[in-house]
Amino acid sequence: MEEDLAPDHPEPPTGPPSPDAIRARADALRDARDWAGAEAAYREYLAERPRHWQIHVQLGHTRKEQGDPEGALPHYRHAAMLAPDDPDPVLQAGHVLRFLGRGREAAEALARALALAPGSPDLRHVVALLRHRTEPPPEDPYRAPPPRPTGPPTQLAFDVTDLLDYLRAARTPTGIQRVQMGILGALLASPQRPANVVLVAFDGGTWRWWHVEEAAFRRVLALARIGGREDDPAWRSATAALATADARPDAPIVAGCTLCSLGNAWGVQEYFRGLRRLRATIPIRYVAFVHDCVPLAMPEHCLDLTVRLYARWFAALSLHADGILANSRATIADHARFAAPLGPVAPARLIRLAAEAGASPIAAAQAAEALRTPRPGEDFVLFVATLESRKNHLMVFQAWLSLIRRLGADRVPRLVCVGRPGWRADAALALLEGSPDLKRKVTVQSGVSDLALAGLYGRCLFTVYNSFHEGWGLPVSESLAAGKLAVIPAHSGLLEAGAPGAVFFAPQDQPDLVAKLEMLLTDPAQRAALESRIDRGAARRDWPDAAREVLAALAEPEEPPEAPRLLPLGRHLPMGWRGEGLPSLAMAWAERVRDGLAWWWQEEFGVWMRDGIATLSLPTDQPAGTPMRLVLELRAPPRPLALRLRARGTQPGPWRGLDLQPGETVRCVLQAECGQGGLAVDFDNGDGVPLGDRFHRVVGAGLIGLMLCREDDLAARLGALERAEA
């Protein structure tokens, strides 16, 4: 008799794999980057579960990764239909549309995604980058920008853009940052502060003004004063919390506001275009603090890029600023001198800088003793300045070497230099490195906190400060406020900073510097007598005093002169940034006429438009209805472009088509009647073309230059014709 023997381990039942097993296999193939295999497996899964929207998204990814972004779109769109409340499918479709160069569709898709997830900082950022494609073309006749507000400000908004940029990269502030931090710190901490004060910043990448959280800002100021380590976890956490623009709401700026920049906005990308955009919807005043005009007065001591950026900023300031704050009468005079060729000069108010003691002497001494040099009890002289050619450390080092050789090393104290190495410090550092005598007597330190610096002022014999030109010279005030003599050259703003009792030497006169230093080192009685004459009260103005002066200047604005901020007619206006070292009206207007968001930055040839609608705003004083002629010089992008353009004066003119072929330069003429206050030109670049640069820019036409004149100005028309034939 045969027996049926059951196996000890029965075989698993055969049959088709479960949907979950298919999905697991598809995910594994995806993770292995086998996109074709993953696509087949995801399709097999969706045959069983066709409403699983996340897998439709994954299927779209497989098509995209196989080089078929167009084929990915239907899958993302089907997923969006299945999950209308989830932003991810729409977001994925938007990214693909951007890649395909379909900018307007991408902008609309990403805006829908943001509407579904309004709290997403990443989505807010990417939507802001594409705002130039969602704004409809203007259809109104041209109208001049709204007039500036009059009377006391309804609100004070302090722009901290450049300060945040600095603090993202460094912890210990230099002169301009210390001024901003001192004034704003005192203002925000004051119980008498106005109720209408806000902090704002500008994001040049997204043309967005955003609200800076005051509590986070004050925490960063406090940490910057007490420490110098940039890898400190508390510092990193505080700066990250402060400077996350995309996570913060828009700046709550209201009509009648005075927007004040206490720093230097000359390095902020597209700053004035952002200001014009803000002013187009909200009537505000703009006041800027000019700390010095060094890049214009002493360009040889600045980076070439710094000189060019500063000159362009200074030129544009003449068309945008309603008021100027400055730290010295010398700076006010410098500003007036360089601004005079640009037209009426905005009124300037003097804000004398402060040098408060502030810190506990015990805490400051302890912080200073924690530094590697000077050693406890060691005599030293202090030099606080960035190591750069303008501060002329080389001359001070040479003077120190002369003193060592004249008096002997034992009679010459240590020179402690506090500051970061900067522009063209090589000669000074090379002398220091090559001289054993100097290396024994000179120490260079960076990353010194304000607290430790206060301790160094308290312990030093005296200070030395050298420079070719200064707006003020904060270390001079700090030295005198601490009761320590400052040996400084007699020029520029240093004459005012050092007035309470500095020891002056003839500028760039090394023998005179050596003589003054030798006198202070070898004659303690004379040094003590000079110290006793320091007017410490005049030197030690607390930052709250400076803050009150700022508030008074902003609360009672001087009305600017009736500046005809009008485009010069009949003159060729080059749009390129050729790197001139001095500001000019042409430079100012090349910045001023670009309106809206659809422009890239200026380059040597001119400026590229973006995809979408770019606009020129050309203000004039011609009566409405005056026939005008505009000559435009355009550069074609790397691929063919079907450009449309029109003029808007008393009414929008008809669109005119212009086919641009790669490599060509085209001159065209537009005729229109002047509107109320001027003329506008709109350029419709459609979806643009890839420029092929490292920034992956999509561009429309390039604008090389323009000339606007009255139709009956035959001389200007002839000049434009001759230029075209040249």
Side-chain angles (χ1 to χ4, degrees), residues 167 171 181 188 213-226 232-239 241-242:
L167 293 174
R171 181 169 182 175
M181 293 165 71
L188 297 175
E213 183 185 3
E214 182 179 321
F217 181 79
R218 293 175 68 174
R219 173 166 172 74
V220 166
L221 294 197
L223 289 172
R225 292 186 183 282
I226 63 174
D232 175 15
W235 171 256
R236 287 185 172 180
S237 174
T239 51
L242 173 65

Side-chain angles (χ1 to χ4, degrees), residues 355 357 454 457-458 460 476-485 534 536 539-540:
Y457 280 125
C460 69
V476 177
S477 299
E478 291 170 336
S479 176
L480 298 173
K484 298 302 175 73
L485 292 169
I534 294 174
R536 296 180 68 174
R540 185 187 291 145

Side-chain angles (χ1 to χ4, degrees), residues 177-265:
Q177 292 79 37
R178 296 178 75 182
V179 171
Q180 293 179 81
M181 293 165 71
I183 292 175
L184 287 174
L187 188 153
L188 297 175
S190 171
Q192 287 81 38
R193 59 175 279 183
N196 58 351
V197 170
V198 295
L199 301 177
V200 302
F202 176 65
D203 181 356
T206 59
W207 307 278
R208 176 175 171 260
W209 293 88
W210 56 281
H211 189 197
V212 177
E213 183 185 3
E214 182 179 321
F217 181 79
R218 293 175 68 174
R219 173 166 172 74
V220 166
L221 294 197
L223 289 172
R225 292 186 183 282
I226 63 174
R229 286 184 52 195
E230 294 167 9
D231 59 352
D232 175 15
W235 171 256
R236 287 185 172 180
S237 174
T239 51
L242 173 65
T244 50
D246 296 322
R248 296 292 301 159
D250 290 344
I253 296 176
V254 301
C257 172
T258 291
L259 175 65
C260 177
S261 171
L262 294 175
N264 260 344

Side-chain angles (χ1 to χ4, degrees), residues 251-377:
I253 296 176
V254 301
C257 172
T258 291
L259 175 65
C260 177
S261 171
L262 294 175
N264 260 344
W266 52 262
V268 179
Q269 176 185 347
E270 300 293 2
Y271 186 81
F272 285 117
R273 194 143 59 97
L275 179 62
R276 292 195 300 277
R277 180 172 174 80
L278 183 64
R279 274 180 161 164
T281 56
I282 305 174
I284 63 170
R285 284 191 189 89
Y286 176 67
V287 175
F289 201 120
V290 176
H291 292 264
D292 61 60
C293 297
V294 169
L296 307 181
M298 297 271 174
E300 65 273 18
H301 294 295
C302 301
L303 279 165
D304 180 59
L305 179 62
T306 297
V307 173
R308 291 185 289 154
L309 285 172
Y310 189 94
R312 185 171 65 169
W313 170 81
F314 192 95
L317 199 62
S318 67
L319 298 180
H320 293 82
D322 302 297
I324 298 294
L325 304 179
N327 52 11
S328 66
R329 289 183 292 275
T331 299
I332 291 175
D334 282 347
H335 171 264
R337 174 164 60 99
F338 288 109
L342 305 176
V345 178
R349 298 281 286 270
L350 176 64
I351 306 296
R352 295 173 298 156
L353 299 189
E356 63 176 332
S360 158
I362 296 176
Q366 290 173 342
E369 287 182 3
L371 300 172
R372 68 177 189 273
T373 53
R375 296 184 300 273

